[in-house]
Amino acid sequence: MTHRVLSHLERLEGEAIHILREVAGQCTNPALLFSGGKDSVVLLRLAEKAFRPGRFPFPLVHIDTGHNYAEVIDFRDRRAAELGEKLIVRTLDESIAKGRIVLRSATESRNRHQSVTLLDTVEEFEFDALIGGARRDEEKARAKERVFSFRDEFGQWDPKNQRPELWNLYNARIHKGEHMRAFPISNWTELDVWQYIAEEGLELPEIYFAHEREVVELPGGALLPVTDLTPIPAGKSSVRRSVRFRTVGDISCTAPVLSEARTVEDIIKETATTEITERGATRLDDQTSEASMEQRKKEGYF
Amino acid sequence: MEKQITPQRHQGHEGAPRKEQEKDKEAFLGASLVPSSLGGGIPDNGLLRFITCGSVDDGKSTLIGRLLYDSKAILADAMDALAKSSRKRGLEEVDLSLLTDGLSAEREQGITIDVAYRYFSTGTRKYILADAPGHEQYTRNMVTGASTADLAIVLIDARKGVLPQTRRHTTLAHLMGLRHIVVAVNKMDLVDYDQAVFSTIQAQVGAFASKLGIPQLHFIPLSALKGDMVVDRGERLDWYQGPTLMELLESIELDSSEQDQPFRFPVQLVCRPRTEELIDYRGYQGRVESGRIKPGDAITVQPSGARSRVRRIELYGKELPEAVAGQSVTLLLEDEVDISRGDLIASAEHAPVPTRSLTATLAWLGEKPLSSTGRLVLRHGTREVRTKVGEIESRLDLEALEPVPVEDVAMNDIVTVTLKLQGPIAPDAHTVLRSGGSFILIDEATHNTVAAGLVLEPEYL
Ligand SMILES: Nc1nc2c(ncn2[C@@H]2O[C@H](COP(=O)(O)OP(=O)(O)O)[C@@H](O)[C@H]2O)c(=O)[nH]1
Ligand SMILES: [Mg+2]
């Protein structure tokens, strides 16, 4: 018999859709984390493939640090509206107003504080599963995480004691107050994501593509975008460069990279030949310690 | 010439080999994106998942580092970080095992606790590799990594030969349904690249593999540390004529024979939008676990035994002419049949038969023995039923590789048991169908997954 060898993207897609449907089949009150970033844009298309012509069996949730690029927030709202799916937004500003989060300075990075708002949101809606767009190739602690990853009643991950996960027989059982995190695109690389975006013709926020931007060149090569939150440091000066963002997150800790790539195809070429990892290039927060992502994940981070 | 790994050498990557690889990669990408214009005739050679296993310190993490490093899959900043943490640990050379030992506890103790997944591509094939822990105590993590792999590399330290964990991991890789097992005799540099050492180990492994009924093994002598026979051949193993490890990985036939197997489709969800236009729409959503299906094919639903034909196959509104193993789709049937999550749609010609009792092999992963677990739930495909262990027939003794009598089942035991089920499931023998023949046991009290199960023979009702 003739065989149809599935391409690697078809395999990854088949796996991701299966995972999304398992969340829907096993959990009673899940939610999908949607930030407007490229990984969560891919998740939405996979959810369409998993559940259409039905509606999504979960709402979309965004934890808004209040430090996001306006284009991304506009895109987030538009995309949710186009899909006709429910979007729940919870903001760090609310958590700060309630005293759940105390900032030590007004411009401090809010990235780490997201865990508080996230876990409060889980409690508020009694979510028993959160679907996220994290990938194992992003970072070494993520590389160790299960597809269905258990969180105790404090929202914590215990990396030394993960449940066995066999074949594709996922076990999402929990006790009340605990929850699951499910990562359908665990096995996708940055390149896979871009290839999928190209194949599916997915729209993304503009800042993923090369554009002129005022930045400060920091020692070591990182580019600091000049914004209200991240003004030009004393004694430095800014320059205009053609840049794009490889990840989109909290303004205070996401940096663009030099790039001329104006189309998805250009980005694919750049991604295939880059010398720098996604987080290495763009996250100003992960470099402080070898274990900082692991630490944040233990505390309940995405 | 000694191949030392230093960050300087990595910068040498900007030379010719790297460029070559970039070209390949671009051609590969072009091939899957826009076939005619950028193709370059390089096909997308699919996705291979493999795992490295074996005893502690046999060199699993080092081998993975070597594979990634020599195939230029470690990016410059990751290499810098690696060099930095190696220096921090007082090492002269870059310790490639630090690439996958990503948890702080692992780095502190210098061991691997849980599987780490890494991703790389060679220009023609994409790889997902899992680095498994060697300690017996973390066997369940090794089993986790093996369960989704197509191929296992079992490492053996040339100086030590076959160790208990070598036998355990080889047995488990075989049980978990991996079709290819590569025995990599590592650290050949420490035995003067002596062919006799390699041959002795080859004979040792061959003997126990045939006892386990493993049909075929590949043997490769190598040095993960020095790089011989991993990606490059090196010059010191000239008596070995076979492929390098990388050549073997590139040429292994990806198993699309799963498409020739009987069609199995565990139903995950039933889609009933109940909107005005779709008032009668009933789509059965799931993944093709084995075989293939096209409109018109006759199907049987188990355990009810209801029959129908496939009317239409859909994915996101698009009609598909066919779906094959690995694809997630929606099936629409010709008749109104009562089907819900937990049911299995199978080919009518080769339908599995429902049963309420099984003989099965269990790899026991729970920390507590069987005698002190809560009530057990068996999960097969998307179906869950309560189960009780009837008889514990035997335990596989990993020294003698023979069944021995046993009273209770403890962590890491591989046992043969009979199971009684509260309701029917429709399994296949695991030797025939990897997916249809596997299940898990969940402890209802803790919700932990406590065993990986393999159906030996369904006893038909
Ligand atoms: N001489 C030599 N040492 C090796 C080789 N492969 C691994 N090692 C060393 O063996 C030790 C254990 O290696 P590691 O990769 O951590 O083993 P694992 O426990 O199987 O992951 C480390 O000190 C390695 O440097 C090899 O081919 N030759
Ligand atoms: Mg290791």
Side-chain angles (χ1 to χ4, degrees), chain B residues 182-186 198 218-222 229 240 243-245 248:
Chain B
V182 179
V183 179
V185 180
N186 186 34
F198 176 71
H218 307 268
F219 289 89
I220 303 182
L222 51 82
M229 232 33 98
Y240 168 78
T244 64
L245 180 61
L248 189 66

Side-chain angles (χ1 to χ4, degrees), chain B residues 60-62 97 100-101 111-112 131-134:
Chain B
K60 298 174 290 299
S61 302
T62 308
S97 69
T100 50
D101 291 337
I111 59 165
T112 308
D131 181 24

